[in-house]
Amino acid sequence: MTDAPARTVSVVVTVLALSAVTWLVAGAGIVLQPDWPGWLIAEGAAWLLFAAAVVLLRSVPNRIVPALVIGGAVVIGVAALAGPPDTSTDSARYAWDGIVQDAGISPYRYVPADAALRPLRPDWLFPAVQAPSGGALRCPDSAVHRTTQVGASGMICTAINRPLVPTIYPPVAEAAFAAVRFLVAPTVAYGPMQVLGLLTVLGTTAVLLVTLRRSGDDPRRAAWFAWCPLVASEAVTNAHVDGLATLLAVAGTVLALRGATIRGGVLLGAAITTKVLPVLVVPPLLRRSPVRLLGAAAGTVVVVYLPHVVASGSRVLGYLPGYLNEEGYDNGTRSVLVSLIVPPPLVTPTSALLLAVVTVLVLIKADPAAPWAGQAVMIGSALLLISPRFPWYALLLTAFAAAAGRWEWFALPLVLIGARAGVPLPLFRAELCAVLVLVVVVGLVRRRAARGAPRFLRAA
C-alpha cells in the first residue's frame, strides 16, 4: 500500500502529459495536413502516452479508479477544446444545419449555397469574397470552399464542405444541431458542438464505469475510451456527431441488459437515427426480448423520420446516396480487402454477404448477458469490410471494445488515422490485413486460455 501514492502520481503525470500533447495539437495552431511530418510525431506521442497511462492505471487502488478516469477525461477533453476543428470541416455543416432549423426551415429543403438562405449566413461560415485590385476573385482562406450560388448569380465562399448538396445527417443528429445552436448566437463558431462532444465523452465514460463495476468487470477499461487520443480528437476537437451516437448506443445497450428493453430499444433507435452505424450493436442483443427491442428501435426510427418525410419527402435521405457513390461503394472501389479476392462489380454484394455471415455467427454465439464482445466484432468487421478513410467512424468501436476488454480492436482506429493522413492504398490494405490477423490470433489465444482455465474462472 505504501506504493499506492507513487502509482497514482505516475498515472496523473502521464495523463497530464497526454493532455499537453492534446492541447498542443488542438490549440497551438498546428494543422494536421496529411503531408506534415509532425502529424506522425504528435499522433505517435499521444498514443504512446495513452498506452502508458492505461497500463499504469492497472496498479492503482480500486477505490480511486473512478475519480482518476473521470478526472483524466475532463483534463484531456478540456485540452481538446483549445482550438477549432483541424482534420475535418463536418462541424461547419452541423452549425449551418442548426442555424437553418432554428429559422424554421427544414435542413433537407435547401443546399447551403442556395440564395434563399442568404439572410441566415454568418460571416464565419460564409466569409466575404475577396477582390484584390487587378486580381481574380478569391476566398480568404485556402480551407474555405468557393462555389456559385444556387438561384442567383455570383460566387460565394463557405467553410461548409459540399455546399451544393443537401445535408446527409439523420433526424436525431439534426435535432442535436438545432438544440446546440438554439443556445448561442449565429455568430458563435465551433465551440458549442465541441462542448457537446466533451459532454458525450464524459457521459459515455460514466456509463461504462458504472456498468463495468456493477457487472464485476474491471472499471479501468472505461479509461480505454475516455483517454483515447482518437476520442479527444474526433469527438471533441472535431466535434463529430458520432460521439453522441456512441453515448446513445452504449446507454441503450445497458438499459437492454438491465431488462428495460423498451427504453433500451428507444435509445438504440435514437442512436441509429443519429449515425447509421449503431445499427451494428443491435444483433448481439436480439436474444433478449427480440420483438420488444426491435419494435422499440424501429418505432423510434419511424417516429423521428415521419415529420421530415411529411415535410420533405424523399429529400429526407439528403446526400446519403450521393455520398455512397462518391466514396466508391457503388463500384466496389472502397472495400479494399474484399477487392483483393473478387472483381469490382461483386465487391459490395460480397461485403454485404460477409457481414451477414458475421451477424448470424454473432447471433448464435454472443452471450446475451455480456454482448459487448459481439458488438465489437460487429462494428470492427463492418469497418474492415467497408474500409473507410475517416477515423471518426471508429469512435463507436472504441467504446464497445473498451467495454468488452478487447484491446486488439484499438489497432483499427490507428490504421484509420493513418488512412486519413493519406497513406498509399497498398499500405492501407496491408495494415487492414494485419489488423484482421491480430484480431483473429488474439481471439483464438483468448479462447484457448479460457478453455484451459478452471470452471469457476471460465464462468467469470
Side-chain angles (χ1 to χ4, degrees):
M1 294 297 293
T2 56
D3 293 335
R7 295 168 183 168
T8 303
V9 169
S10 66
V11 173
V12 171
V13 169
T14 307
V15 169
L16 289 176
L18 175 55
S19 67
V21 173
T22 302
W23 173 86
L24 181 68
V25 172
I30 297 178
V31 179
L32 302 184
Q33 299 296 339
D35 58 350
W36 183 61
W39 177 88
L40 182 60
I41 298 173
E43 282 294 322
W47 279 85
L48 286 173
L49 288 167
F50 165 57
V54 167
V55 171
L56 290 169
L57 186 65
R58 295 171 62 182
S59 62
V60 169
N62 290 337
R63 66 181 182 277
I64 63 173
V65 165
L68 278 178
V69 173
I70 290 291
V74 171
V75 171
I76 295 168
V78 169
L81 290 172
D86 52 15
T87 63
S88 167
T89 58
D90 285 357
S91 55
R93 171 74 78 156
Y94 300 168
W96 177 244
D97 283 0
I99 291 170
V100 169
Q101 290 176 90
D102 290 339
I105 301 170
S106 169
Y108 304 107
R109 183 177 179 183
Y110 298 105
V111 301
D114 199 305
L117 302 179
R118 185 184 304 165
L120 302 179
R121 296 172 182 168
D123 291 340
W124 68 276
L125 278 177
F126 294 86
V129 177
Q130 294 182 345
S133 57
L137 296 177
R138 61 184 179 86
C139 292
D141 191 304
S142 60
V144 174
H145 303 272
R146 170 180 167 174
T147 187
T148 56
Q149 290 194 95
V150 175
S153 60
M155 188 189 84
I156 61 171
C157 299
T158 179
I160 301 170
N161 60 44
R162 302 181 181 89
L164 294 176
V165 301
T167 190
I168 193 175
Y169 299 102
V172 171
E174 292 294 342
F177 305 156
V180 169
R181 295 307 308 186
F182 181 78
L183 301 174
V184 297
T187 53
V188 178
Y190 298 104
M193 278 304 300
Q194 292 176 314
V195 171
L196 175 63
L198 175 56
L199 293 176
T200 65
V201 170
L202 297 178
T204 304
T205 301
V207 173
L208 288 174
L209 275 170
V210 172
T211 302
L212 289 169
R213 171 167 283 189
R214 286 185 176 179
S215 63
D217 291 314
D218 190 352
R220 292 170 177 81
R221 296 207 300 257
W224 298 13
F225 172 82
W227 301 351
C228 182
L230 175 83
V231 173
S233 173
E234 302 304 342
V236 184
T237 304
N238 291 287
H240 284 289
V241 75
D242 303 66
L244 175 60
T246 298
L247 171 59
L248 292 170
V250 170
T253 296
V254 171
L255 286 176
L257 289 177
R258 293 181 183 174
T261 309
I262 300 297
R263 286 181 290 165
V266 168
L267 286 187
L268 290 170
I272 294 166
T273 46
T274 301
K275 199 74 181 278
V276 178
L277 200 61
V279 71
L280 296 166
V281 311
V282 175
L285 295 168
L286 288 182
R287 288 165 63 185
R288 302 174 63 94
S289 304
V291 174
R292 297 178 68 190
L293 185 70
L294 283 177
T300 301
V301 172
V302 170
V303 167
V304 299
Y305 261 106
L306 188 58
H308 293 284
V309 171
V310 171
S312 304
S314 62
R315 286 181 295 179
V316 74
L317 292 176
Y319 186 58
L320 181 59
Y323 175 80
L324 294 175
N325 293 339
E326 179 183 308
E327 289 299 309
Y329 295 112
D330 60 333
N331 57 22
T333 58
R334 171 55 68 196
S335 304
V336 299
L337 288 185
V338 180
S339 63
L340 281 171
I341 55 177
V342 299
L346 298 178
V347 168
T348 298
T350 302
S351 299
L353 177 61
L354 290 173
L355 187 58
V357 170
V358 172
T359 303
V360 172
L361 291 174
V362 167
L363 278 169
I364 295 172
K365 294 182 173 294
D367 182 357
W372 306 103
Q375 291 169 310
V377 168
M378 285 294 304
I379 303 164
S381 298
L383 293 179
L384 285 170
L385 288 169
I386 67 176
S387 6
R389 287 181 175 261
F390 305 122
W392 51 89
Y393 279 42
L395 279 171
L396 187 68
L397 176 62
T398 57
F400 285 87
R406 298 300 192 258
W407 58 266
E408 63 272 18
W409 280 114
F410 279 78
L412 186 51
L414 272 171
V415 169
L416 297 185
I417 289 172
R420 180 68 180 86
V423 299
L425 177 59
L427 179 57
F428 182 41
R429 180 178 282 129
E431 290 173 339
L432 289 177
C433 288
V435 171
L436 178 59
V437 171
L438 174 67
V439 168
V440 171
V441 169
V442 172
L444 291 174
V445 170
R446 185 179 284 117
R447 181 174 299 178
R448 183 173 181 180
R451 286 201 195 103
R455 185 183 299 273
F456 72 92
L457 287 180
R458 276 181 276 165

